[in-house]
Amino acid sequence: MERENQTGNFILLGFTDDPDLQFLLLGLLLAMYLVTVLGNLLIILAVISDSHLHTPMYFFLSNLSLADIGFTSTTIPKALRNIQSHSKVISFAGCVSQIYFFALLACQDNLLLTVMAYDRFVAICHPLHYVVIMSPQLCKLMALGSWFTSVLGALPGALTILRLSFCTNIEIPHYFCDLPEILKHTCSDTLINNIVVYTVAIVLGVFPLTGILFSYSQIFSSILRISSDRGKHKAFSTCGSHLLVVSLFYGTSLGVYLSSVATLSSRISMMASVTYTMVTPMLNPFIYSLRNRDIKVALGRVLSKMVPLSESVEAHLS
């Protein structure tokens, strides 16, 4: 095969070539994207507008919603454009950019879930010192630190792609530039790339997961020491939503990894990644709003303010 430099293009094969299925797929992806963006945006507006939600837990939740909006916006709009325009081409620069922002926002999700686990650990295991420990300054520092770490942590994987050469007519059996799929199609040695990927995965993936597991081991130990059933239920309810989101995030991530290891079919791996890149960010707002009375009340206030505003705009236009 002919070798090509980094200025060439890739072809994202996507889900299907069937025109009828593509039309249905376009509607489904657009609906999922709009639900994800609007749902997470409402969470952010609710936290900002309601003073009762100006607490560490909801501050980190609004950051998580912002990261989820960016996470889905990294992949779905390009997939929608490819289906709508019947063009599957993405430039090398566009592919590297997509890989970078995808890794950045995935790392950010991971780190924010870790920070939120620590917040729940302090709230349940050290309730009398919660206000002192989780001060506004510390919360802002932890949020900024997670964003800064994600920005730097995503750089090595993207930058090491620049040293690779690719063959012509590269077809990627995916709907976005998935780094493992890209590395399969290079004509260069990928040892350095694999070392970088696994090192970053351990530092920004395994270590935070270990922190989450440790936090919840201490949380469950503290809950079991509570004598009353009502107290146990109240303590567990404060971390139930976060635990469900953590299980969904890491469960789908593990599913993607196992599917890629257990099968040589890129198509199966791509379908497994749908839950990780689309379904999880879409479900997070529902998990937090349906299980949290404060969020539901704040969302109701936001929506009640939006309805008169839309009516006044319509009256002005008419």
Side-chain angles (χ1 to χ4, degrees), residues 71-131:
F71 190 54
T72 54
S73 298
T74 303
T75 57
I76 297 184
K78 176 60 178 174
L80 291 171
R81 184 176 181 276
N82 287 353
I83 296 174
Q84 189 272 332
S85 63
H86 303 288
S87 172
K88 301 181 179 182
V89 176
I90 184 171
S91 66
F92 179 82
C95 191
V96 173
S97 299
Q98 194 175 66
I99 289 172
Y100 172 73
F101 285 106
F102 183 86
L104 187 159
L105 292 160
C107 289
Q108 178 64 2
D109 266 7
N110 195 20
L111 293 175
L112 281 173
L113 289 174
T114 306
V115 170
M116 293 170 76
Y118 176 73
D119 171 71
R120 294 299 85 202
F121 160 73
V122 176
I124 294 175
C125 299
H126 305 283
L128 298 179
H129 302 92
Y130 179 76
V131 176

Side-chain angles (χ1 to χ4, degrees), residues 209 247-261 272 276:
L209 177 59
S247 302
L248 191 61
F249 180 81
Y250 284 101
T252 54
S253 303
L254 183 61
V256 172
Y257 173 75
L258 293 178
S259 66
S260 63
V261 172
Y276 172 63

Side-chain angles (χ1 to χ4, degrees), residues 144-166:
L144 287 174
S146 64
W147 281 104
F148 183 71
T149 302
S150 299
V151 168
L152 294 182
L155 277 175
L159 291 178
T160 51
I161 299 176
L162 301 178
R163 57 176 287 275
L164 301 177
S165 295
F166 295 90

Side-chain angles (χ1 to χ4, degrees), residues 60-75:
F60 294 131
L61 176 59
S62 62
N63 276 267
L64 181 66
S65 294
L66 180 61
D68 281 341
I69 292 175
F71 190 54
T72 54
S73 298
T74 303
T75 57

Side-chain angles (χ1 to χ4, degrees), residues 49 300-310:
S49 62
R301 291 172 181 166
V302 170
L303 293 174
S304 64
K305 292 178 181 178
M306 293 175 65
V307 172
L309 180 62
S310 63

Side-chain angles (χ1 to χ4, degrees), residues 26-46:
L26 179 66
L28 178 61
L29 290 181
L30 181 60
M32 292 177 68
Y33 181 64
L34 290 177
V35 169
T36 301
V37 172
L38 291 176
N40 283 286
L41 188 59
L42 283 174
I43 293 290
I44 295 173
L45 292 175

